[in-house]
Amino acid sequence: QTVVTQEPSFSVSPGGSVTLTCGLNSGSVSTFYYPSWYQQTPGQAPRILIYNTNTRSSGVPDRFSGSILGNKAALTITGAQPYDESDYYCGLFMGSGIWVFGGGTKLTVL
Amino acid sequence: QITLKESGPTLVKPTQTLTLTCTFSGFSLSTSGVGVGWIRQPPGKALEWLAVIYWNDDKRYSPSLKSRLAITKDTSRNQVVLEMTSMDPLDSATYFCAHNIFTTTTSGFHHWGLGTLVTVSS
């Protein structure tokens, strides 16, 4: 069974930088998995931030960037703002045409 | 402007079949590369991808739920329907539908409905 792994929680100071990662229980994440990143605040629907590994969705500030770091997909937030405090999910497109989401990372900005 | 809206029962009994409808606007499900997916989220838990249907009627399901799911589309009515059989209290969740694109330059779930909360209880 495919499991997408994310840090359960992370904390960053206002103005600081943080990198969240997205891995696979078996194997490495590459661009061929078309990693995407979603931000979700309580009671709201997710919002796409990044797709195709490193392309920002329309209207997403350039403080958010995506990449592959080692064997994982990564979402980096630079100059974190208090309103960046959210849950962040990565999504991967598997070769069989299915999608899988990670368990999410709860980001605290304080 | 792309919008999606989920509709269906808020309460279903165990063993019953859940039928959810996603009604969308601002795009066509006959356009190459376009799909509509369903994702759910139990209270306080993570997103779980369920199924997707593409413009060419290609359908994909979560392997763990494949035997219980059926996704169909009505392109003329701009609707996608998801059926889930044998509902269990563990299936209680907010169910989202989302606009999906998969082309050479774009992928992912770019627009989401607000979600509909489904509770499974007798």
Side-chain angles (χ1 to χ4, degrees):
Chain A
Q1 181 184 355
T2 300
V3 176
V4 177
T5 60
Q6 295 185 247
E7 299 86 359
S9 62
F10 232 118
S11 183
V12 62
S13 299
S17 295
V18 63
T19 296
L20 313 182
T21 67
C22 172
L24 279 172
N25 63 329
S26 57
S28 301
V29 177
S30 70
T31 58
F32 293 112
Y33 288 93
Y34 299 90
S36 50
W37 290 90
Y38 305 83
Q39 177 190 51
Q40 186 183 33
T41 53
Q44 302 294 315
R47 164 202 180 199
I48 191 168
L49 298 174
I50 301 287
Y51 61 93
N52 287 13
T53 305
N54 55 15
T55 304
R56 271 186 298 276
S57 185
S58 177
V60 174
D62 58 8
R63 302 185 291 104
F64 294 89
S65 62
S67 63
I68 298 291
L69 286 182
N71 61 351
K72 295 182 179 182
L75 173 70
T76 299
I77 307 172
T78 57
Q81 302 297 312
Y83 47 82
D84 293 335
E85 188 163 293
S86 301
D87 294 327
Y88 291 86
Y89 294 92
C90 70
L92 300 179
F93 179 75
M94 311 307 290
S96 53
I98 67 172
W99 294 83
V100 183
F101 286 100
T105 297
K106 184 178 182 61
L107 180 68
T108 301
V109 181
L110 56 77
Chain B
Q1 180 189 2
I2 291 176
T3 64
L4 304 99
K5 185 174 183 179
E6 306 86 354
S7 59
T10 57
L11 179 66
V12 297
K13 290 179 168 41
T15 75
Q16 285 187 335
T17 294
L18 171 68
T19 300
L20 294 173
T21 300
C22 178
T23 303
F24 58 85
S25 63
F27 67 94
S28 172
L29 241 188
S30 58
T31 300
S32 179
V34 173
V36 171
W38 286 93
I39 301 98
R40 70 178 180 180
Q41 185 173 38
K45 296 191 176 182
L47 300 174
E48 180 184 15
W49 178 79
L50 300 176
V52 65
I53 188 166
Y54 290 105
W55 84 101
N56 58 358
D57 210 36
D58 186 14
K59 304 168 187 178
R60 305 287 171 160
Y61 299 100
S62 166
S64 62
L65 294 167
K66 186 175 183 177
S67 64
R68 299 174 52 204
L69 294 174
I71 190 169
T72 57
K73 64 180 175 69
D74 186 332
T75 304
S76 62
R77 300 180 66 182
N78 282 355
Q79 289 183 330
V80 169
V81 174
L82 180 75
E83 290 188 340
M84 179 179 288
T85 61
S86 304
M87 292 294 284
D88 180 272
L90 290 176
D91 295 314
S92 297
T94 296
Y95 286 74
F96 297 97
C97 65
H99 168 254
N100 176 257
I101 289 186
F102 194 76
T103 66
T104 55
T105 58
T106 307
S107 65
F109 296 92
H110 288 253
H111 303 273
W112 296 63
L114 296 179
T116 185
L117 177 61
V118 177
T119 301
V120 184
S121 174
S122 55

